[in-house]
Amino acid sequence: MGIKAALPRYELFLYAAVLGVALIWAGSWISEASSENVNKKTFKESVKPGWHYFGRKMDVADFEWMMWFSTFRNHILFALVGHVIFAKIFTIISLILAPFYPQHRSLIFAMYGGLAVLVTMGWTFMALVLSHCIILYSVAMVKKKWMCFAAGLSTLASIKLEPYNSWQEALVTGSFDLQDVLFYGGCGFSIMRCMSFALENCEKKDGNYTFCDLLKYNFYLPFFFFGPIMTFDRYHVQANNTQLTRKEREMWNITTKALLHLGVILVVDVFFHYLYILTIPSDMKLVTKLSDWCLAGLAYSNLVYDWVKAAVMFGVINTVATLDHLDPPQPPKCITMLYVFAETHFDRGINDWLCKYVYDYIGCDHDNIFKELLATICTFAVTTLWLGPCELVYIWSFFNCFGLNFELWVAKFFSLPPFSMIEGSMGEAMSRRIRGVFNAANFWAIVLYNVLSLNSLEFAKTVGRRLIFKGFPLSTLSVLFVTYCGVQLVKERERQQALQEEPEPATPVDGRKQEFFRLLGETGPCMVPSSALTTVIEPDRMPASISAVP
């Protein structure tokens, strides 16, 4: 049924109350487990001294978050601030030497980015990245998509598979603390950008893009090491736009988002001192002693945190890109807002890349079961290579690929009679409630299929057994009911957005009837000729009082 199906307001208030109480209840269990086990020996490596005055220790289990806001903080701030200042200087110069800057700002960005990469990583890394660019540019000139894919995926495999990745990493020598992280990030995103360039060049009908276009695209510093990926067609148009004007209140929105990111960082820091959501799942002996609600809260909060981390990291970079008059890919959709696999992604840039060149290209309208199966298999095959092939990635890819296809199979099955007839005969609100039950189960499938990549396969299996088998029926049904309440609140938010974007149209009136009533308004009923009446309204559908007019 339609997305605009409404539910009674009191019902939505009940859902909000149930969800709020459940989140507080699960959070209390996690807080209690964190406080009681803070001094365990198994926590020593991942729980470090934090707020001395409050006597709280901090969960530092996530290397990536700690890297960004401790070791890497000064480096990234220095590099991004330098990029903004460099761009601002040339913006001022453009006022004097106009119109030099608007046409060449992408070249200026690339010059600064290339210089920053060279200083940070050294000339051997720069030579390696340039070799990847040259190889894929050469293949792009052939304008064969299958060759571009073959060359791109082979190059990507060279930094993801042994022994080729170790050999290339050994070429980049130095004592920089984050050199290994920047090596894989810079090479991986660079190859994906080069593949986008090559595939877009195949679509170009008149001539080819230049090698300089590729370098300008690849060495834009905010995106270079950590993404997100903008496909070449989007970046090329935006970076070469000469109309550098700001939208209304755009600078206000940029400032607001920057302050919001700072606030989120502080909130995460507070939570890390009271809820050890990353450390607890690593101690399986402790996990087996926790309550079902605590396990459900841990699984859910780990995925929410992963979204927050991606939203903050990409948000900071996107703020800089927006200052450069670009429209970068937005942060991923929060796991709380997801109840279908089709919208599940944690990097919108990679997701856009995969959809454009693999998923949508093969799957077309995603209505055919066999095309959809082939499209998802190919998409997750590329994703597996991108993440780095290993047992855990294989399992994650298999289950998410299955979930995406299972959704289509179920939708196809229930679209057949008699199910479609049953749904058509019931009210829209009841249809929404029934769909919400299935969406709640789907939500936990998404959680279990993805939490294994964030924590461990053992933790995901333990949560699944406790919530599905050992906790049945009390824990299972209660968690599903709470999830159902959350899904209905998300659906209500989507309904409100749909109404704002596309208001309900007025009931259409037949054009000939409109003409008839216009004649009535202008001449009165006695002055309307019978020929006009018979052409405006069909004789067999005319009321008796009108058909009798001479």
Side-chain angles (χ1 to χ4, degrees):
M1 306 297 276
I3 193 176
K4 297 178 184 177
L7 295 179
R9 184 167 296 182
Y10 67 85
E11 184 176 342
L12 295 173
F13 285 154
L14 174 63
Y15 293 156
V18 170
L19 182 62
V21 171
L23 289 176
I24 295 173
W25 177 252
S28 66
W29 280 101
I30 299 174
S31 178
E32 182 180 347
S34 301
S35 300
E36 290 179 353
N37 298 279
V38 64
N39 294 317
K40 285 191 66 174
K41 291 183 179 180
T42 54
F43 280 24
K44 281 187 177 181
E45 295 297 324
S46 54
V47 177
K48 301 292 185 181
W51 293 340
H52 175 73
Y53 295 104
F54 293 92
R56 301 297 305 182
K57 293 185 177 181
M58 181 179 180
D59 191 341
V60 296
D62 186 8
F63 162 76
E64 193 173 18
W65 182 271
M66 293 299 113
M67 176 192 73
W68 268 82
F69 298 104
S70 58
T71 312
F72 195 55
R73 178 185 56 201
N74 296 332
H75 300 286
I76 188 63
L77 286 178
F78 178 78
L80 292 180
V81 169
H83 173 88
V84 173
I85 294 175
F86 194 76
K88 189 63 177 179
I89 290 173
F90 276 91
T91 302
I92 297 173
I93 294 176
S94 70
L95 299 175
I96 304 173
L97 303 178
F100 170 77
Y101 178 71
Q103 286 89 344
H104 299 279
R105 64 193 183 103
S106 59
L107 178 61
I108 294 169
F109 293 155
M111 289 171 57
Y112 176 82
L115 182 63
V117 172
L118 179 63
V119 171
T120 304
M121 299 295 291
W123 69 269
T124 52
F125 178 81
M126 178 65 78
L128 182 63
V129 172
L130 287 175
S131 68
H132 294 160
C133 294
I134 292 172
I135 291 172
L136 289 170
Y137 176 78
S138 302
V139 176
M141 294 301 101
V142 183
K143 289 199 170 185
K144 299 290 185 182
K145 285 189 175 182
W146 70 269
M147 291 185 64
C148 295
F149 266 110
L153 295 178
S154 298
T155 309
L156 185 62
S158 69
I159 66 166
K160 297 291 184 180
L161 301 176
E162 291 287 357
Y164 311 105
N165 59 338
S166 298
W167 176 77
Q168 291 185 78
E169 187 179 6
L171 296 175
V172 184
T173 57
S175 58
F176 186 48
D177 292 338
L178 299 169
Q179 196 153 2
D180 55 341
V181 177
L182 298 181
F183 170 82
Y184 286 106
C187 286
F189 282 104
S190 179
I191 292 170
M192 297 295 277
R193 284 188 291 267
C194 289
M195 287 182 67
S196 177
F197 172 86
L199 293 169
E200 292 298 332
N201 191 71
C202 294
E203 296 290 337
K204 187 176 174 63
K205 296 187 182 302
D206 51 339
N208 299 289
Y209 293 109
T210 65
F211 187 65
C212 185
D213 289 330
L214 174 58
L215 295 182
K216 289 188 289 186
Y217 168 54
N218 188 50
F219 284 98
Y220 179 67
L221 184 64
F223 296 164
F224 184 82
F225 287 110
F226 297 105
I229 291 178
M230 278 183 70
T231 54
F232 175 76
D233 56 332
R234 289 184 57 195
Y235 181 84
H236 185 70
V237 170
Q238 295 178 23
N240 291 284
N241 180 24
T242 58
Q243 304 298 324
L244 303 182
T245 58
R246 295 287 183 193
K247 299 177 182 177
E248 186 179 356
R249 296 177 60 85
E250 184 174 1
M251 288 304 301
W252 170 261
N253 293 334
I254 291 174
T255 304
T256 303
K257 288 182 179 179
L259 293 176
L260 178 63
H261 294 144
L262 180 60
V264 170
I265 293 170
L266 295 176
V267 170
V268 172
D269 193 63
V270 171
F271 272 90
F272 275 174
H273 283 83
Y274 289 92
L275 304 175
Y276 302 151
I277 60 173
L278 304 178
T279 296
I280 292 176
S282 63
D283 188 347
M284 292 307 299
K285 289 185 178 179
L286 174 61
V287 166
T288 56
K289 299 177 183 178
L290 299 177
S291 67
D292 296 344
W293 278 99
C294 187
L295 287 181
L298 283 171
Y300 168 73
S301 58
N302 268 264
L303 283 178
V304 172
Y305 163 71
D306 192 63
W307 168 78
V308 169
K309 179 173 65 174
V312 169
M313 291 193 294
F314 288 139
V316 171
I317 292 173
N318 287 355
T319 300
V320 177
T322 307
L323 289 173
D324 292 334
H325 297 273
L326 298 179
D327 183 20
Q330 296 303 305
K333 197 172 183 180
C334 179
I335 184 64
T336 305
M337 310 300 292
L338 296 175
Y339 50 84
V340 291
F341 278 90
E343 297 183 2
T344 306
H345 51 76
F346 293 91
D347 185 335
R348 198 181 294 269
I350 292 293
N351 182 74
D352 292 345
W353 192 101
L354 290 168
C355 286
K356 181 177 178 63
Y357 300 121
V358 184
Y359 185 57
D360 292 338
Y361 181 77
I362 299 174
C364 299
D365 58 358
H366 305 291
D367 193 51
N368 184 283
I369 290 178
F370 298 105
K371 280 188 176 180
E372 178 73 359
L373 180 61
L374 179 61
T376 51
I377 290 175
C378 293
T379 300
F380 280 100
V382 176
T383 306
T384 300
L385 181 60
W386 163 253
L387 295 175
C390 65
E391 182 182 7
L392 196 60
V393 174
Y394 294 146
I395 297 172
W396 174 87
S397 294
F398 172 81
F399 279 110
N400 280 274
C401 183
F402 169 77
L404 196 59
N405 283 278
F406 188 70
E407 277 183 348
L408 179 61
W409 300 340
V410 172
K412 285 286 187 181
F413 179 74
F414 281 99
S415 66
L416 300 174
F419 303 107
S420 59
M421 297 174 61
I422 295 174
E423 185 177 19
S425 64
M426 67 176 63
E428 290 190 353
M430 182 56 65
S431 172
R432 172 174 160 176
R433 295 186 184 100
I434 294 174
R435 285 173 177 262
V437 174
F438 289 96
N439 293 147
N442 207 40
F443 177 89
W444 274 101
I446 294 173
V447 171
L448 293 176
Y449 290 171
N450 287 278
V451 77
L452 61 90
S453 64
L454 300 179
N455 300 112
S456 65
L457 180 60
E458 290 74 16
F459 177 71
K461 289 165 63 177
T462 301
V463 174
R465 282 196 298 266
R466 291 283 290 276
L467 293 184
I468 299 173
F469 300 107
K470 292 185 178 180
F472 187 84
L474 183 60
S475 296
T476 305
L477 296 181
S478 59
V479 169
L480 278 179
F481 176 67
V482 170
T483 307
Y484 167 82
C485 295
V487 167
Q488 291 295 0
L489 293 175
V490 173
K491 284 178 176 286
E492 181 63 21
R493 181 176 181 271
E494 293 174 348
R495 188 184 76 86
Q496 296 291 344
Q497 290 178 340
L499 289 175
Q500 292 176 1
E501 296 172 0
E502 187 181 352
E504 286 283 359
T507 303
V509 179
D510 186 270
R512 292 180 295 172
K513 291 183 180 180
Q514 286 182 337
E515 177 64 17
F516 168 67
F517 291 121
R518 185 186 67 80
L519 290 171
L520 283 177
E522 291 180 356
T523 62
C526 294
M527 300 297 294
V528 180
S530 59
S531 60
L533 293 176
T534 55
T535 56
V536 170
I537 303 180
E538 298 87 347
D540 60 335
R541 296 182 60 187
M542 286 192 294
S545 59
I546 297 180
S547 60
V549 177

